[in-house]
Amino acid sequence: EIVMTQSPLSLPVTPGEPASFSCRSSQSLLHSDGYNYLDWYLQRPGQSPQLLIFLGSNRASGVPDRFSGSGSDTDFTLKISRVQPEDVGVYYCMQTLQTPLTFGPGTRVEIK
Amino acid sequence: EAQLVESGGGLVRPGGSLKLSCEVSGFTFSGTALHWVRQPPGKGLEWVGRIRTKPNNHATDYGTSVQGRFTISRDDLKNMAYLQMNSLKKEDTAVYYCGSGGDLVADILLWGQGTLVTVSS
């Protein structure tokens, strides 16, 4: 089973400022097709999760372009160019390379 | 509007069984994989399992902690999916979400609102 870790676990942010956080996997998520099988999800308070980024760097439909995913192999980053108040919540990475699919523990983003 | 609605949650004693349902509407359910993901109170997300489409033989995969106790099924004619949970433990207490996504790449594009399962004596 692939183990996912995230850092930091908590991140206070200032609206309008950039933010970034990390996700690491215990083995490479780079498939032979050239894609990294890594998703990012946001769970806002009291809501269901929503897909933000798939295959490492592709924004899901309707996701603002202030969100960007990068990285390869075992090391990934989610960046928010200018944090908005509605970006508060917990961000999870999840590997989709092999079953069982596994989530990271999440990074909780809150407004300072 | 595309949506998924879970039902069937409730209180069950340790060792008992419960069956959750996921009703899908607003899109072609037969063309998507269906996942179950759970979240214990105040904790993170855990993938429970997935059932793929008919062209992929309705293949199922499960998370390590539920393998052998939980079974996922689907009825494409009724636009329904199910999670049969047996030999329930206190640590199975969680909000259970169903979610749909691609069959080749396991992204979960659309999520339900969740249903709470409490395992307690």
Side-chain angles (χ1 to χ4, degrees), chain A residues 26-80:
Chain A
S26 61
Q27 60 190 76
S28 177
L29 302 183
L30 181 60
H31 191 274
S32 57
D33 62 11
Y35 291 102
N36 286 281
Y37 280 61
L38 187 282
D39 292 349
W40 289 95
Y41 293 86
L42 165 61
Q43 186 175 32
R44 294 186 173 98
Q47 296 187 18
S48 304
Q50 67 170 101
L51 179 66
L52 294 177
I53 302 289
F54 63 96
L55 294 176
S57 61
N58 298 276
R59 273 190 304 276
S61 177
V63 174
D65 61 7
R66 63 179 181 273
F67 291 95
S68 63
S70 62
S72 184
D73 197 19
T74 63
D75 204 344
F76 301 90
T77 301
L78 181 68
K79 295 181 180 178
I80 310 174

Side-chain angles (χ1 to χ4, degrees), chain B residues 74-91:
Chain B
R74 63 191 294 165
D75 184 333
D76 290 344
L77 294 179
K78 294 183 178 179
N79 288 336
M80 296 288 295
Y82 306 96
L83 178 64
Q84 176 68 47
M85 304 183 293
N86 298 330
S87 304
L88 282 161
K89 307 174 183 180
K90 290 184 177 179
E91 50 265 39

Side-chain angles (χ1 to χ4, degrees), chain B residues 4-52:
Chain B
L4 299 91
V5 178
E6 304 91 340
S7 60
L11 176 64
V12 60
R13 298 200 184 281
S17 297
L18 198 64
K19 187 173 185 177
L20 305 183
S21 298
C22 174
E23 182 175 9
V24 171
S25 60
F27 64 96
T28 304
F29 174 54
S30 61
T32 69
L34 192 287
H35 301 255
W36 289 93
V37 175
R38 68 184 181 182
Q39 185 169 38
K43 297 189 177 181
L45 302 172
E46 180 186 8
W47 184 76
V48 172
R50 167 189 69 175
I51 185 165
R52 301 185 68 179

